[in-house]
């Protein structure tokens, strides 16, 4: 590990802006809130947090001489859409293996997927193991055709992909220094966990200034924390950091998931409306709105105090607003 230099393609438009949300802070009569605009990370097919990961993953794909990329996700996966777009840009074939059956309505990210890539397969199953199996079958098929496939795991959350957010942590730290922000709350949505894992590696390496909290939109804290712990350690090892990541170092709150992944809660709808109307900012119904619902509730309950400063990682995904998910 760490033998090859960790190169990236430079596809991500970074540093992404760190902007204050004055009107939201005023409305809450509370904390100073900034957004880290990961939604603006790319000039390809709407950006989002997957662009940084793909920047590193696809650099490796090219190094290995891959002719095709294969990845998995739900029918409204932002990661799948971003992968299709980045592959198009690089002239690589892309195969998306999506969960379940083809929906009757092609909308939101799925509509973009069809625009970006011809080869979309529905796996029938939606569980992670089943999707991985289906992706491996597709990879086998591509190998037989002589196209060397590069398989990207769910959400791009391999150590190399997640490591992009170790770099993003350093990026935001430099920006905060320039704005005099010290020891903020950093708030991030958690899906496959790579984003939080990468940030956590940076945060722990920095001696844990302020707080770093992830709001899960999918698995319980008990399920996902050990995986993030493992991944954060792998990122630290990849970058040669001498930290030891323990589960107790990580905070994942799973109380804002509601009935399930991708099912909007009333609080999440409220958060979308609040940010749209006060700031002209579009959250997405699957990830960022649930994390924002958690943040707003923390403020209401006084867990985050009026003198605190918050940096909210706005990870993208607003394309899903234009689907019946919302
Ligand atoms: C994938 C995604 C996340 C979650 O990132 P992970 O690294 O999978 O935890 C958050 N927000 C949006 C919009 C995403 O697409």
């Amino acid at each position: 590990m760490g033998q090859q230099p960790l190169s990236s393609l430079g596809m991500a438009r970074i540093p992404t802006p760190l902007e204050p949300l004055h009107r939201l802070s005023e409305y809450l009569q509370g904390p100073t809130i900034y957004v880290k605009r990961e939604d603006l990370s790319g000039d390809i097919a709407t950006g989002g947090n997957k662009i940084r990961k793909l920047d590193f993953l696809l650099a490796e794909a090219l190094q290995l001489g891959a002719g095709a990329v294969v990845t998995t996700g739900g029918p409204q996966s932002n990661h799948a859409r971003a992968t299709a777009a980045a592959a198009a840009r690089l002239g690589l074939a892309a195969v998306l293996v999506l969960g379940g059956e083809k929906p009757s309505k092609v909308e939101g990210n799925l509509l973009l997927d069809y625009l970006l890539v011809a080869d979309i397969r529905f796996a029938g199953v939606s569980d992670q193991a089943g999707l991985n199996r289906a992706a491996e079958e597709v990879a086998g098929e591509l190998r037989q055709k002589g196209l060397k496939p590069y398989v990207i795991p769910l959400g791009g959350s391999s150590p190399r992909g997640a490591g992009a957010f170790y770099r993003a942590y350093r990026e935001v730290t430099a920006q905060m220094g320039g704005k005099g922000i010290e020891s903020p709350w950093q708030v991030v949505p958690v899906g496959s966990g790579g984003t939080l894992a990468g940030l956590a590696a940076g945060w722990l390496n920095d001696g844990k200034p302020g707080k770093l909290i992830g709001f899960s939109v999918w698995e319980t804290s008990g399920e996902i924390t050990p995986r993030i712990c493992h991944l954060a350690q792998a990122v630290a090892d990849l970058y040669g950091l001498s930290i030891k990541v323990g589960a107790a170092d990580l905070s994942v709150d799973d109380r804002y998931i509601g009935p399930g992944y991708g099912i909007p809660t009333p609080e999440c709808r409220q958060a979308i409306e609040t940010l749209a109307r006060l700031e002209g900012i579009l959250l997405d119904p699957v990830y960022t709105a649930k994390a924002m619902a958690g943040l707003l509730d923390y403020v209401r309950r006084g867990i985050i105090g009026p003198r605190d400063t918050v940096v909210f990682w706005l990870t993208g995904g607003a394309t899903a607003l234009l689907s019946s998910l919302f």
Side-chain angles (χ1 to χ4, degrees):
M1 267 218 273
Q3 301 294 61
Q4 290 201 344
L6 285 167
S7 55
S8 69
L9 294 171
M11 280 191 306
R13 282 213 175 149
I14 54 175
T16 57
L18 178 65
E19 298 172 344
L21 296 183
H22 293 302
R23 281 166 48 75
L24 179 63
S25 291
E26 198 178 309
Y27 166 77
L28 295 172
Q29 300 182 308
T32 305
I33 302 179
Y34 289 83
V35 271
K36 178 69 171 151
R37 298 293 304 268
E38 291 303 296
D39 57 325
L40 303 181
S41 69
D43 55 351
I44 41 175
T46 85
N49 67 335
K50 302 311 180 305
I51 303 291
R52 278 187 203 262
K53 296 178 178 181
L54 288 165
D55 216 7
F56 283 89
L57 294 168
L58 294 177
E60 183 178 59
L62 293 185
Q63 271 167 15
L64 295 173
V69 292
V70 180
T71 199
T72 61
Q76 285 299 330
S77 167
N78 297 307
H79 166 67
R81 180 253 306 148
T83 302
R89 172 66 65 91
L90 296 172
L92 292 170
V95 184
L96 306 180
V97 179
L98 305 179
E101 306 292 341
K102 184 173 177 182
S104 53
K105 217 165 164 189
V106 172
E107 56 180 10
N109 281 313
L110 185 58
L111 179 66
L112 298 180
D113 292 342
Y114 277 104
L115 189 63
L116 292 160
V117 62
D119 200 347
I120 297 170
R121 319 277 180 94
F122 284 89
V125 296
S126 317
D127 63 296
Q128 207 176 331
L131 283 173
N132 289 343
R133 259 197 314 277
E136 275 314 319
E137 274 170 33
V138 169
E141 189 189 302
L142 292 169
R143 255 177 235 118
Q144 287 202 327
K145 285 190 195 158
L147 272 175
K148 197 171 178 187
Y150 182 82
V151 180
I152 301 176
L154 189 78
S157 287
S158 63
R160 178 180 283 260
F165 278 89
Y166 162 65
R167 302 217 183 190
Y169 179 87
R170 299 212 316 219
E171 177 183 302
V172 83
T173 299
Q175 289 174 313
M176 293 192 306
K179 293 179 195 293
I181 302 169
E182 275 173 35
S183 304
W185 286 76
Q186 293 197 50
V187 173
V188 63
V190 175
S192 62
T195 304
L196 178 58
L199 294 176
W203 180 70
L204 290 167
N205 193 50
D206 244 14
K208 304 202 263 184
K211 307 254 189 206
L212 174 63
I213 175 134
F215 287 103
S216 178
V217 303
W218 172 36
E219 292 181 311
T220 65
S221 171
E223 284 165 337
I224 201 158
T225 300
R227 283 209 277 125
I228 294 177
C229 195
H230 194 253
L231 191 52
Q233 187 66 58
V235 170
D237 295 344
L238 195 58
Y239 281 90
L241 311 177
S242 57
I243 52 168
K244 194 94 200 72
V245 186
D249 294 319
L250 302 171
S251 305
V252 181
D253 191 333
D254 57 16
R255 286 173 297 176
Y256 301 90
I257 300 173
Y261 176 79
I263 305 172
T265 58
E267 295 73 23
C268 136
R269 289 179 183 278
Q270 181 92 56
I272 289 172
E273 285 182 13
T274 302
L275 268 287
R277 289 170 191 180
L278 286 177
E279 298 283 0
I281 284 211
L282 299 177
L283 300 177
D284 83 288
V286 181
Y287 297 95
T288 51
K290 284 186 179 172
M292 181 58 79
L295 165 57
L296 297 177
D297 193 47
Y298 274 32
V299 172
R300 230 170 272 126
R301 287 162 52 199
I303 299 172
I304 297 179
R307 288 165 192 280
D308 288 342
T309 301
V310 178
V311 171
F312 182 82
W313 287 81
L314 182 57
T315 44
T319 36
L321 287 174
L322 305 176
S323 77
S324 33
L325 271 184
F326 181 52

